Amino acid sequence: MRRTSKKSSSSTATASAGPTKAVSKEVERIDQFFYTYADNSSGMIDPEGIETLCSHLEVPHTDVRILMLAWKMGCDKQGYFTLDEWRTGLKALRADSISKLKKAFPELVQEVILSPQILSYVQVTRPSNFQDFYIYAFRYCLTEDKKKCIEIPVACELLNLVLGLQFRPQVDKLNNYLMYQNDYKVITMDQWMGFIRFCNEINFPSLDNYDSDLAWPLILDNFVEWLRENKS
């Protein structure tokens, strides 16, 4: 009886060691992939390394999917990927090579929003991941410690990147207004969240359900007033 029990325990140990070994091999490959792009002195993938990565992925570094990748990794500092962040993201995407990372992009886009190819044909219902990504995008652009606002040109680029797929007409008009007006030099998180709420809730271009008596940031009241004044 003891021999049978011992054999059973041994079999269980061997079986459980299998997946563990496979996981460690996966991490090893992910680490090797990381060091292809990491700077030797800092031990991180820096902006130059990200440029090289984007080149190998055949996407521009301004592509929204690179921002989504940073979100998936939980990257803390703009333009830098640490080994721990890289492991977190690439393990989740099951990607340990350029080819696998390329193949993971459609799944990543779908996780955040929906595949761009589908957006033109269906009514988009945004998952909760999108709001998380939208908030992350703003925080990721706070390049200095204790910084709480982003400059208007950066906000325009970011709106184009993260909301342009779903809300192109609104984003174009909003960016035109932001570049035209002189009252605001920076955008706060409250204003940033107001933009997505506006896109989600307000009929565009009619604006017939916009009520300035509700709790909208003043910048949006001014934007709607500007739109109405310039309506052709």
Side-chain angles (χ1 to χ4, degrees):
M1 285 293 289
R2 271 190 229 110
R3 277 197 298 270
T4 305
S5 175
K6 188 176 180 180
K7 184 178 179 181
S8 174
S9 298
S10 175
S11 299
T12 303
T14 304
S16 64
T20 305
K21 191 173 182 180
V23 168
S24 67
K25 283 288 185 185
E26 180 192 26
V27 172
E28 189 179 311
R29 290 193 299 271
I30 287 171
D31 287 3
Q32 287 173 351
F33 188 22
F34 174 85
Y35 286 114
T36 304
Y37 303 100
D39 176 72
N40 289 333
S41 57
S42 69
M44 294 189 289
I45 299 178
D46 61 13
E48 187 178 342
I50 292 174
E51 285 271 9
T52 305
L53 173 66
C54 290
S55 173
H56 292 170
L57 288 168
E58 300 177 283
V59 299
H61 71 278
T62 53
D63 192 292
V64 69
R65 289 169 293 182
I66 301 304
L67 184 58
M68 288 177 179
L69 181 60
W71 167 79
K72 189 68 176 176
M73 292 186 207
C75 292
D76 187 52
K77 186 178 180 183
Q78 188 183 59
Y80 293 87
F81 300 159
T82 68
L83 178 57
D84 284 344
E85 291 166 349
W86 181 266
R87 282 175 178 166
T88 298
L90 271 69
K91 278 175 71 177
L93 292 171
R94 301 179 300 281
D96 55 25
S97 66
I98 279 290
S99 60
K100 287 182 182 178
L101 187 51
K102 279 184 181 179
K103 288 177 183 175
F105 269 163
E107 181 185 334
L108 176 59
V109 172
Q110 189 170 17
E111 181 183 351
V112 175
I113 175 173
L114 277 181
S115 172
Q117 291 81 5
I118 298 173
L119 284 173
S120 344
Y121 301 102
V122 299
Q123 183 65 37
V124 179
T125 303
R126 282 154 296 284
S128 59
N129 276 347
F130 182 76
Q131 182 140 328
D132 186 62
F133 170 68
Y134 183 79
I135 294 168
Y136 172 82
F138 182 90
R139 289 179 176 156
Y140 190 61
C141 288
L142 300 175
T143 52
E144 299 170 16
D145 290 343
K146 298 182 180 178
K147 189 176 179 183
K148 294 184 178 179
C149 306
I150 57 176
E151 292 74 18
I152 290 290
V154 176
C156 289
E157 287 181 26
L158 203 55
L159 282 168
N160 193 53
L161 200 62
V162 300
L163 287 184
L165 277 174
Q166 311 99 299
F167 301 110
R168 174 52 56 197
Q170 293 96 317
V171 167
D172 285 347
K173 289 292 186 184
L174 184 53
N175 280 348
N176 287 345
Y177 168 72
L178 289 174
M179 297 307 290
Y180 161 83
Q181 58 80 39
N182 293 308
D183 297 323
Y184 301 90
K185 301 298 181 188
V186 295
I187 296 298
T188 66
M189 174 64 88
D190 182 58
Q191 292 164 338
W192 180 251
M193 296 309 295
F195 296 158
I196 190 173
R197 181 185 158 208
F198 177 89
C199 291
N200 275 319
E201 296 180 12
I202 301 304
N203 299 331
F204 195 87
S206 70
L207 309 172
D208 55 6
N209 63 335
Y210 187 86
D211 184 352
S212 58
D213 290 332
L214 298 179
W216 291 101
L218 181 59
I219 194 171
L220 280 164
D221 290 342
N222 295 342
F223 170 54
V224 169
E225 184 181 345
W226 178 81
L227 281 174
R228 286 170 174 162
E229 286 174 356
N230 290 278
K231 198 170 183 181
S232 54

